[in-house]
Amino acid sequence: MGRILSEYGIYLLEALGKTLLLALLGLFFGCIIGVVFGLLSVVKSKVCNWISLVYVNIIRGIPMIVLALFVYIGVPYAFKNFFGTRVMLTSLAAGTICLAVNCGAYMSEIIRAGIQAIDPGQMEAARSLGLPYWKSMFRVVLPQAIKNMVPSIVNQFIITLKDTSILSVIGFPELVNKGQNIIARTFMSFQTWIIVGVMYLFVILVLQWVAKMLERRLNRGR
Amino acid sequence: MADNRNVKIHVENLQKSFGKHKVLTGITTDIHEGEVVVVIGPSGGGKSTFLRCINRLEEISSGTVIVDGYDVSSKKTDINKMRENVGMVFQHFNLFANLNVLGNLMLAPTELKKANKQEAKEEALKMLDMVGLLEKAEAFPHQLSGGQKQRVAIARALCMHPDIMLFDEPTSALDPEMVGEVLAVMKELAKKGMTMVVVTHEMGFARDVADRVLFIADGIIVEEGTPEQIFQNPQNQRTIDFLNCVL
Ligand SMILES: Nc1ncnc2c1ncn2[C@@H]1O[C@H](COP(=O)(O)OP(=O)(O)O)[C@@H](O)[C@H]1O
Ligand SMILES: [Mg+2]
């Protein structure tokens, strides 16, 4: 274990950095997608609700590993065969797309449920004062909904962080991918996976701690 | 009734269905400036729906509703502009849980550019004083009693300087000892000449304050008249039965 740490420590830290970068990118775009589709699912428009429903159900129904291979290998292959054009996606770009699309679907559900849990009377009271729908949504409904959503959002962050490991299959140099490389050279799989596991655990514990502080601050406001 | 006063709310053959369920089957009435109209009737009769059609919290199915010159029944009407002029008070208060009392009162005036922060705050404090809750300006809704919440809700509506106030059973969710404080604020408003439509089971309030009482059941106005006519000398059997139950 000491040998791996001394020889490959920097290498693993770099991989951790890539993992975090991918997770942050995925979460960032995932949150945007989640907010958009979450709102689409609560507005008073059958078409919008339906679009959101279809998106969420498709993504929920497909394992991310399939999505990853499809985006990274399937789509460029199709472009080459049918259009004769070479589309190259870096593994970071493909990984970000997969994570964001996946995380976005689950965030959308969290946001929909969070908004629907708020008493409709809040929206009605705001509208009755002459506030337009979106002003009422952003100033009255969402602030209350977000407070309730924080635990689910943190949970989703953790899942997305761990989901980055799936993207080792498309060769993105994150922790699992690099761990496999180390094992190929050293044959020390027991030690390597323990180290990799502890690294994930550490990041997630820190994330949970930050979330706790945030929650406490939000609750102090009321 | 002084019919030469301005008509503030004109309702003609208003009908409202939820799916197949016909809730309002043809309501016609005119409400004049400064008039206090109390709506009574059995539960499920359509009183709330009637009130909510006036500020289009419910889309009307057919008929005409004109409020303060705004045609509520027309899709083209700027409904938000109309609502600025029509305050509504709900049975369950519906104070914004994420904002304190001042925040509740200042949100709409500042967001809708009726006033800058400073003006909105002064106005809010004035309204809080009027409902006797100046010391609660910084409190959050969950720290208030039911009666206090409802008085804040009234103050919140008044901060928009509405011409018309709608009340949907404002005291029904209150403990009995708090009903009086809310009714007192409403009486004060009536005295100042506010046009009011009040759905309530407080027959005492109807008797003392109403210019006119509407008895609504099964989606129509079964009977209407002055409080004396309705309470002392009701004509319709349904009105008589209802009053026998509640009085
Ligand atoms: N949003 C709605 N969807 C379906 N039915 C409704 C809705 N709102 C009210 N109703 C029905 O309309 C009828 C009248 O309701 P309401 O206007 O609340 O009566 P009241 O206020 O006189 O008790 C009731 O039968 C109620 O079930
Ligand atoms: Mg009702």
Side-chain angles (χ1 to χ4, degrees):
Chain A
M1 188 141 352
R3 194 188 127 203
I4 290 184
L5 281 176
S6 63
E7 275 182 37
Y8 295 102
I10 302 291
Y11 188 72
L12 280 171
L13 279 180
E14 237 173 78
L16 177 64
K18 295 271 194 211
T19 296
L20 291 178
L21 172 71
L22 180 60
L24 283 177
L25 282 173
L27 283 172
F28 177 75
F29 292 109
C31 285
I32 293 175
I33 294 174
V35 169
V36 170
F37 281 88
L39 290 174
L40 282 180
S41 69
V42 294
V43 296
K44 248 180 145 181
S45 152
K46 283 265 176 319
V47 180
C48 292
N49 302 161
W50 186 82
I51 290 171
S52 178
L53 187 77
V54 168
Y55 165 68
V56 168
N57 278 303
I58 287 178
I59 296 305
R60 278 206 297 205
I62 299 174
M64 197 163 75
I65 193 162
V66 175
L67 186 66
L69 294 170
F70 176 75
V71 170
Y72 189 63
I73 300 171
V75 172
Y77 184 79
F79 268 96
K80 195 171 113 228
N81 273 9
F82 300 132
F83 308 113
T85 46
R86 270 173 59 90
V87 194
M88 277 298 288
L89 270 182
T90 63
S91 58
L92 178 63
T96 300
I97 291 172
C98 291
L99 271 188
V101 162
N102 198 69
C103 171
Y106 291 98
M107 290 289 272
S108 161
E109 278 298 279
I110 292 170
I111 287 166
R112 181 190 59 73
I115 291 174
Q116 284 176 347
I118 301 299
D119 174 8
Q122 295 282 310
M123 176 59 95
E124 285 186 350
R127 297 306 309 275
S128 77
L129 289 164
L131 289 167
Y133 179 86
W134 289 111
K135 275 214 166 97
S136 310
M137 184 56 103
F138 282 107
R139 295 301 307 271
V140 174
V141 178
L142 273 180
Q144 297 178 48
I146 286 171
K147 205 185 278 180
N148 299 337
M149 289 184 299
V150 167
S152 312
I153 290 176
V154 171
N155 193 42
Q156 185 55 44
F157 275 25
I158 291 172
I159 292 172
T160 299
L161 180 70
K162 294 203 276 191
D163 277 352
T164 55
S165 61
I166 294 171
L167 297 160
S168 61
V169 297
I170 60 170
F172 183 77
E174 46 65 66
L175 270 174
V176 169
N177 186 278
K178 289 299 185 185
Q180 282 168 330
N181 289 354
I182 294 172
I183 292 162
R185 278 181 238 166
T186 63
F187 305 103
M188 299 210 277
S189 69
F190 181 75
Q191 296 87 331
T192 306
W193 290 131
I194 285 183
I195 292 169
V196 167
V198 167
M199 289 174 90
Y200 277 114
L201 185 62
F202 175 75
V203 172
I204 285 164
L205 287 177
V206 169
L207 181 63
Q208 273 175 328
W209 179 77
V210 171
K212 266 268 141 26
M213 304 302 275
L214 179 73
E215 236 176 293
R216 207 169 296 163
R217 271 190 58 166
L218 279 174
N219 283 331
R220 212 185 309 146
R222 60 165 300 156
Chain B
M1 202 99 350
D3 273 358
N4 53 356
R5 285 182 298 179
N6 279 339
V7 174
K8 291 298 256 184
I9 305 175
H10 171 73
V11 181
E12 200 175 319
N13 197 21
L14 163 62
Q15 305 196 13
K16 171 68 187 174
S17 311
F18 291 104
K20 280 211 176 101
H21 183 29
K22 268 204 153 179
V23 173
L24 300 181
T25 49
I27 292 206
T28 300
T29 189
D30 278 337
I31 294 169
H32 295 84
E33 189 164 3
E35 199 178 6
V36 177
V37 173
V38 166
V39 180
I40 60 171
S43 175
K47 306 182 296 295
S48 297
T49 306
F50 168 58
L51 216 56
R52 293 161 59 85
C53 283
I54 292 176
N55 68 352
R56 217 211 262 172
L57 281 183
E58 301 292 353
E59 205 78 51
I60 77 176
S61 302
S62 74
T64 311
V65 177
I66 294 173
V67 178
D68 236 354
Y70 290 92
D71 185 354
V72 178
S73 29
S74 157
K75 286 247 186 271
K76 277 181 255 153
T77 303
D78 182 351
I79 205 69
N80 294 325
K81 266 269 163 297
M82 180 278 269
R83 284 173 179 160
E84 289 178 10
N85 256 348
V86 183
M88 186 159 197
V89 174
F90 300 85
Q91 182 176 356
H92 296 289
F93 330 122
N94 299 354
L95 291 183
F96 305 137
N98 57 319
L99 300 173
N100 68 10
V101 168
L102 269 183
N104 268 272
L105 270 60
M106 290 166 60
L107 180 68
T110 50
E111 283 290 324
L112 298 170
K113 309 271 184 289
K114 295 275 144 192
N116 64 34
K117 268 219 156 74
Q118 191 53 41
E119 295 163 349
K121 187 169 177 186
E122 281 166 19
E123 194 59 29
L125 291 172
K126 219 166 81 191
M127 292 303 171
L128 277 183
D129 194 25
M130 194 200 118
V131 300
L133 286 172
L134 208 44
E135 81 281 4
K136 295 292 182 188
E138 305 290 339
F140 274 83
H142 70 102
Q143 298 165 322
L144 302 176
S145 73
Q148 292 171 336
K149 281 183 199 171
Q150 198 59 298
R151 284 186 283 155
V152 170
I154 294 171
R156 175 176 68 180
L158 291 177
C159 279
M160 290 300 291
H161 297 292
D163 286 353
I164 299 167
M165 286 284 286
L166 309 174
F167 294 84
D168 192 0
E169 301 199 28
T171 58
S172 294
L174 298 179
D175 292 334
E177 76 271 21
M178 293 172 183
V179 170
E181 63 193 62
V182 172
L183 292 181
V185 170
M186 293 168 62
K187 273 181 195 165
E188 193 63 31
L189 264 186
K191 224 191 291 171
K192 284 183 181 158
M194 178 68 77
T195 308
M196 295 164 62
V197 187
V198 184
V199 176
T200 187
H201 295 296
E202 293 294 328
M203 296 305 156
F205 178 84
R207 229 179 244 140
D208 295 348
V209 185
D211 296 309
R212 183 152 55 110
V213 176
L214 307 183
F215 174 67
I216 290 184
D218 296 331
I220 51 162
I221 299 175
V222 174
E223 188 167 353
E224 67 176 301
T226 63
E228 292 75 44
Q229 286 168 339
I230 297 290
F231 292 119
Q232 259 105 60
N233 192 17
Q235 301 299 311
N236 190 291
Q237 190 55 43
R238 289 220 54 181
T239 320
I240 295 166
D241 292 344
F242 175 75
L243 289 173
N244 279 337
C245 281
V246 296
L247 291 180

mmCIF file of all heavy atoms in Angstrom, chain B residues 211-231:
data_model
loop_
_atom_site.group_PDB
_atom_site.id
_atom_site.type_symbol
_atom_site.label_atom_id
_atom_site.label_comp_id
_atom_site.label_asym_id
_atom_site.label_seq_id
_atom_site.Cartn_x
_atom_site.Cartn_y
_atom_site.Cartn_z
ATOM 1 N N ASP B 211 -74.510 45.398 2.954
ATOM 2 C CA ASP B 211 -75.557 46.155 2.283
ATOM 3 C C ASP B 211 -76.529 45.176 1.632
ATOM 4 O O ASP B 211 -77.703 45.458 1.468
ATOM 5 C CB ASP B 211 -74.958 47.051 1.191
ATOM 6 C CG ASP B 211 -74.040 48.102 1.788
ATOM 7 O OD1 ASP B 211 -74.473 48.787 2.731
ATOM 8 O OD2 ASP B 211 -72.876 48.199 1.342
ATOM 9 N N ARG B 212 -75.980 44.038 1.256
ATOM 10 C CA ARG B 212 -76.788 43.061 0.522
ATOM 11 C C ARG B 212 -76.271 41.673 0.850
ATOM 12 O O ARG B 212 -75.067 41.483 1.044
ATOM 13 C CB ARG B 212 -76.641 43.320 -0.985
ATOM 14 C CG ARG B 212 -77.472 42.439 -1.878
ATOM 15 C CD ARG B 212 -77.798 43.164 -3.174
ATOM 16 N NE ARG B 212 -76.582 43.633 -3.832
ATOM 17 C CZ ARG B 212 -76.106 43.102 -4.972
ATOM 18 N NH1 ARG B 212 -76.726 42.117 -5.558
ATOM 19 N NH2 ARG B 212 -75.003 43.598 -5.513
ATOM 20 N N VAL B 213 -77.167 40.719 0.920
ATOM 21 C CA VAL B 213 -76.796 39.335 1.181
ATOM 22 C C VAL B 213 -77.217 38.485 -0.008
ATOM 23 O O VAL B 213 -78.345 38.610 -0.498
ATOM 24 C CB VAL B 213 -77.489 38.814 2.468
ATOM 25 C CG1 VAL B 213 -77.169 37.333 2.676
ATOM 26 C CG2 VAL B 213 -77.050 39.623 3.683
ATOM 27 N N LEU B 214 -76.270 37.661 -0.510
ATOM 28 C CA LEU B 214 -76.611 36.705 -1.554
ATOM 29 C C LEU B 214 -76.648 35.325 -0.930
ATOM 30 O O LEU B 214 -75.706 34.930 -0.245
ATOM 31 C CB LEU B 214 -75.558 36.688 -2.671
ATOM 32 C CG LEU B 214 -75.152 37.977 -3.365
ATOM 33 C CD1 LEU B 214 -74.156 37.668 -4.492
ATOM 34 C CD2 LEU B 214 -76.371 38.686 -3.928
ATOM 35 N N PHE B 215 -77.732 34.594 -1.183
ATOM 36 C CA PHE B 215 -77.765 33.198 -0.754
ATOM 37 C C PHE B 215 -77.527 32.332 -1.986
ATOM 38 O O PHE B 215 -78.342 32.301 -2.901
ATOM 39 C CB PHE B 215 -79.108 32.865 -0.097
ATOM 40 C CG PHE B 215 -79.257 31.409 0.244
ATOM 41 C CD1 PHE B 215 -78.465 30.820 1.221
ATOM 42 C CD2 PHE B 215 -80.186 30.614 -0.423
ATOM 43 C CE1 PHE B 215 -78.583 29.474 1.514
ATOM 44 C CE2 PHE B 215 -80.305 29.259 -0.127
ATOM 45 C CZ PHE B 215 -79.507 28.687 0.853
ATOM 46 N N ILE B 216 -76.352 31.684 -2.025
ATOM 47 C CA ILE B 216 -75.991 30.855 -3.180
ATOM 48 C C ILE B 216 -76.073 29.376 -2.801
ATOM 49 O O ILE B 216 -75.519 28.959 -1.780
ATOM 50 C CB ILE B 216 -74.550 31.183 -3.671
ATOM 51 C CG1 ILE B 216 -74.517 32.575 -4.313
ATOM 52 C CG2 ILE B 216 -74.065 30.132 -4.672
ATOM 53 C CD1 ILE B 216 -73.173 32.950 -4.920
ATOM 54 N N ALA B 217 -76.791 28.625 -3.619
ATOM 55 C CA ALA B 217 -76.844 27.170 -3.432
ATOM 56 C C ALA B 217 -76.966 26.529 -4.801
ATOM 57 O O ALA B 217 -77.595 27.087 -5.698
ATOM 58 C CB ALA B 217 -78.025 26.788 -2.546
ATOM 59 N N ASP B 218 -76.341 25.382 -4.955
ATOM 60 C CA ASP B 218 -76.376 24.651 -6.230
ATOM 61 C C ASP B 218 -75.999 25.523 -7.415
ATOM 62 O O ASP B 218 -76.563 25.384 -8.502
ATOM 63 C CB ASP B 218 -77.764 24.038 -6.466
ATOM 64 C CG ASP B 218 -78.089 22.997 -5.411
ATOM 65 O OD1 ASP B 218 -77.141 22.375 -4.901
ATOM 66 O OD2 ASP B 218 -79.269 22.832 -5.087
ATOM 67 N N GLY B 219 -75.064 26.440 -7.207
ATOM 68 C CA GLY B 219 -74.516 27.191 -8.327
ATOM 69 C C GLY B 219 -75.359 28.339 -8.827
ATOM 70 O O GLY B 219 -75.080 28.878 -9.902
ATOM 71 N N ILE B 220 -76.408 28.717 -8.100
ATOM 72 C CA ILE B 220 -77.140 29.930 -8.489
ATOM 73 C C ILE B 220 -77.442 30.781 -7.257
ATOM 74 O O ILE B 220 -77.383 30.304 -6.122
ATOM 75 C CB ILE B 220 -78.489 29.620 -9.199
ATOM 76 C CG1 ILE B 220 -79.302 28.641 -8.359
ATOM 77 C CG2 ILE B 220 -78.279 29.109 -10.602
ATOM 78 C CD1 ILE B 220 -80.759 28.624 -8.747
ATOM 79 N N ILE B 221 -77.760 32.064 -7.522
ATOM 80 C CA ILE B 221 -78.234 32.920 -6.434
ATOM 81 C C ILE B 221 -79.698 32.579 -6.214
ATOM 82 O O ILE B 221 -80.566 32.920 -7.015
ATOM 83 C CB ILE B 221 -78.062 34.408 -6.799
ATOM 84 C CG1 ILE B 221 -76.580 34.729 -7.040
ATOM 85 C CG2 ILE B 221 -78.625 35.277 -5.680
ATOM 86 C CD1 ILE B 221 -76.324 36.143 -7.510
ATOM 87 N N VAL B 222 -79.961 31.870 -5.128
ATOM 88 C CA VAL B 222 -81.333 31.436 -4.849
ATOM 89 C C VAL B 222 -82.176 32.626 -4.395
ATOM 90 O O VAL B 222 -83.341 32.770 -4.759
ATOM 91 C CB VAL B 222 -81.340 30.338 -3.768
ATOM 92 C CG1 VAL B 222 -82.756 29.985 -3.359
ATOM 93 C CG2 VAL B 222 -80.602 29.105 -4.294
ATOM 94 N N GLU B 223 -81.543 33.485 -3.595
ATOM 95 C CA GLU B 223 -82.281 34.627 -3.073
ATOM 96 C C GLU B 223 -81.286 35.716 -2.694
ATOM 97 O O GLU B 223 -80.185 35.429 -2.248
ATOM 98 C CB GLU B 223 -83.078 34.197 -1.835
ATOM 99 C CG GLU B 223 -84.028 35.261 -1.345
ATOM 100 C CD GLU B 223 -85.044 34.726 -0.328
ATOM 101 O OE1 GLU B 223 -85.088 33.501 -0.106
ATOM 102 O OE2 GLU B 223 -85.769 35.546 0.242
ATOM 103 N N GLU B 224 -81.680 36.969 -2.891
ATOM 104 C CA GLU B 224 -80.815 38.059 -2.439
ATOM 105 C C GLU B 224 -81.652 39.208 -1.914
ATOM 106 O O GLU B 224 -82.820 39.345 -2.249
ATOM 107 C CB GLU B 224 -79.896 38.538 -3.563
ATOM 108 C CG GLU B 224 -80.598 39.207 -4.723
ATOM 109 C CD GLU B 224 -79.610 39.741 -5.760
ATOM 110 O OE1 GLU B 224 -78.770 40.574 -5.378
ATOM 111 O OE2 GLU B 224 -79.683 39.313 -6.920
ATOM 112 N N GLY B 225 -81.012 40.021 -1.086
ATOM 113 C CA GLY B 225 -81.738 41.159 -0.525
ATOM 114 C C GLY B 225 -80.942 41.785 0.590
ATOM 115 O O GLY B 225 -79.797 41.400 0.848
ATOM 116 N N THR B 226 -81.533 42.759 1.239
ATOM 117 C CA THR B 226 -80.865 43.368 2.390
ATOM 118 C C THR B 226 -80.817 42.333 3.508
ATOM 119 O O THR B 226 -81.586 41.358 3.488
ATOM 120 C CB THR B 226 -81.654 44.590 2.887
ATOM 121 O OG1 THR B 226 -82.939 44.141 3.323
ATOM 122 C CG2 THR B 226 -81.823 45.636 1.789
ATOM 123 N N PRO B 227 -79.935 42.522 4.485
ATOM 124 C CA PRO B 227 -79.889 41.570 5.599
ATOM 125 C C PRO B 227 -81.261 41.398 6.261
ATOM 126 O O PRO B 227 -81.627 40.282 6.627
ATOM 127 C CB PRO B 227 -78.884 42.216 6.557
ATOM 128 C CG PRO B 227 -78.032 43.081 5.714
ATOM 129 C CD PRO B 227 -78.884 43.550 4.582
ATOM 130 N N GLU B 228 -82.011 42.496 6.402
ATOM 131 C CA GLU B 228 -83.339 42.386 7.031
ATOM 132 C C GLU B 228 -84.219 41.434 6.227
ATOM 133 O O GLU B 228 -84.846 40.526 6.777
ATOM 134 C CB GLU B 228 -84.028 43.761 7.119
ATOM 135 C CG GLU B 228 -83.377 44.745 8.071
ATOM 136 C CD GLU B 228 -82.083 45.327 7.514
ATOM 137 O OE1 GLU B 228 -82.071 45.695 6.316
ATOM 138 O OE2 GLU B 228 -81.087 45.381 8.260
ATOM 139 N N GLN B 229 -84.269 41.660 4.915
ATOM 140 C CA GLN B 229 -85.110 40.807 4.068
ATOM 141 C C GLN B 229 -84.709 39.350 4.189
ATOM 142 O O GLN B 229 -85.557 38.467 4.358
ATOM 143 C CB GLN B 229 -84.998 41.238 2.598
ATOM 144 C CG GLN B 229 -85.725 42.528 2.288
ATOM 145 C CD GLN B 229 -85.337 43.057 0.899
ATOM 146 O OE1 GLN B 229 -84.301 42.712 0.347
ATOM 147 N NE2 GLN B 229 -86.192 43.912 0.361
ATOM 148 N N ILE B 230 -83.399 39.079 4.108
ATOM 149 C CA ILE B 230 -82.953 37.691 4.084
ATOM 150 C C ILE B 230 -83.121 37.013 5.444
ATOM 151 O O ILE B 230 -83.564 35.876 5.538
ATOM 152 C CB ILE B 230 -81.469 37.602 3.636
ATOM 153 C CG1 ILE B 230 -81.313 38.110 2.204
ATOM 154 C CG2 ILE B 230 -80.939 36.177 3.748
ATOM 155 C CD1 ILE B 230 -81.900 37.232 1.139
ATOM 156 N N PHE B 231 -82.764 37.731 6.505
ATOM 157 C CA PHE B 231 -82.773 37.078 7.820
ATOM 158 C C PHE B 231 -84.154 37.096 8.473
ATOM 159 O O PHE B 231 -84.539 36.168 9.166
ATOM 160 C CB PHE B 231 -81.744 37.721 8.750
ATOM 161 C CG PHE B 231 -80.329 37.456 8.312
ATOM 162 C CD1 PHE B 231 -79.481 38.503 7.979
ATOM 163 C CD2 PHE B 231 -79.858 36.154 8.222
ATOM 164 C CE1 PHE B 231 -78.187 38.260 7.566
ATOM 165 C CE2 PHE B 231 -78.559 35.903 7.804
ATOM 166 C CZ PHE B 231 -77.721 36.955 7.474
#
